[in-house]
Amino acid sequence: MNRIPVIIDTDPGVDDFFCIAIGCANPDKFDLKAITTIGGNNFTRVTTQNALNILKLLNTEVPVAPGADRFLTEEFGEPVVSAHGRNGVGEAVLPVSDRAPEPVRAWDMIYRTAVECEGDLHLVTVGPVTNVALAFLKYPDLPSLIKKITCMGGSTLEGNMNAYGEANIAHDALAAKIVFNSGVPIDMIGLNVTLRCNVGRDIFDKMSETTRPEVRKVMQQLIDFRRGEAMHDAVAIATLVDDSWIEWKETRVDVEAHSEKAKGWTMMAPTRIPKDERIHRVAWDMKIEGYYAIFERMAKYYTEEQGR
Ligand code: RIB
Ligand code: CA
């Protein structure tokens, strides 16, 4: 099977950790070209170092290109300590990477890679989509070079930043509006599905009996930090590994970018829009067994041998 070229745009991030871990644990499916970083859960300088440290723990070398230091229309907010800890990775202690980030900013890395991949590049966005919006603004031909965006964001039910808006969309709603109106096919995996995909310690401990201890310990710490809940970003990339466990709705999503009360609202188009306008898919329902299988495959990938 041809591997798909992928860039993960991320703000690691407790659940981002598991997105990266799944991304690196499927080398038969993904040609992971780069990780690009953004703020949101913490500042970009922190999320960039976290990405490098996560890759060191996972014994996987992938270029890391730092992204924007602010959202399109405002500065980053304070780190989301309650959900990600002060260090951004649930207070887990990771090995410190001595690798430097690439001397290329995220939006240039995305464009350069998209040109090299000749239209086959997939983006997995699991943070605010500021970098992708900046790339589209700087390179008007870029949308035509992106095969698909798998986006952890939005919700068909309720938000977590306000009643309507989910964090990855609401943090930089203008960027999200630009991305969702770019014409690129998007799979949107929102809170309505991710909040139902929980992997508790009991289940994880059974999945991870052959996981090398230093990786298993960090994963257990992160699962404990989040009480086994809301590994949103892992769910998103899992749908790119295999989406047989997902029920999709074909639609078109727009984003409320201006209303303070409803900022970040992901609005699905009426069902009667013409089929050729339905270029987005929204994860509507899921079968948890499919997600467990992908999570377990990830846990079993990080063996002692993989760590050598
Ligand atoms: O709302 C959940 C999203 O916001 C996840 O990507 C989490 O990491 C935070 O970035
Ligand atoms: Ca994230």
Side-chain angles (χ1 to χ4, degrees), residues 223-241:
I223 287 171
D224 287 347
F225 190 84
R226 294 291 277 271
R227 298 175 303 284
E229 296 165 1
M231 294 300 182
H232 309 281
D233 301 340
V235 180
I237 199 167
T239 71
L240 193 56
V241 174

Side-chain angles (χ1 to χ4, degrees), residues 9-16 41 84 125-128 152 168 232-233:
D9 190 71
T10 175
D11 58 337
V14 168
D15 54 326
D16 306 70
N41 291 333
H84 299 275
T125 67
V126 291
M152 190 283 133
N168 286 345
H232 309 281
D233 301 340

Side-chain angles (χ1 to χ4, degrees), residues 276-294:
D276 62 357
E277 288 183 22
R278 300 180 209 164
I279 61 169
H280 300 153
R281 297 193 303 177
V282 169
W284 194 252
D285 200 355
M286 60 89 195
K287 292 188 180 74
I288 195 72
E289 294 74 19
Y291 178 60
Y292 285 159
I294 295 162

Side-chain angles (χ1 to χ4, degrees), residues 44-79:
T44 304
R45 58 181 162 75
V46 175
T47 61
T48 301
Q49 189 59 49
N50 283 346
L52 290 163
N53 295 350
I54 291 167
L55 290 167
K56 181 175 176 66
L57 176 74
L58 301 177
N59 195 33
T60 308
E61 270 214 22
V62 175
V64 175
D69 296 315
R70 53 169 287 136
F71 299 130
L72 291 189
T73 57
E74 59 192 59
E75 299 295 328
F76 290 150
E78 284 306 304

Side-chain angles (χ1 to χ4, degrees), residues 101-117:
E102 300 302 304
V104 177
R105 299 305 295 271
W107 41 88
D108 294 328
M109 176 65 86
I110 292 169
Y111 184 67
R112 180 176 80 177
T113 310
V115 170
E116 285 167 7
C117 294

Side-chain angles (χ1 to χ4, degrees), residues 79-99:
V80 189
V81 173
S82 59
H84 299 275
R86 286 180 305 281
N87 69 354
V89 281
E91 312 306 359
V93 179
L94 300 180
V96 178
S97 172
D98 55 6
R99 268 203 312 141

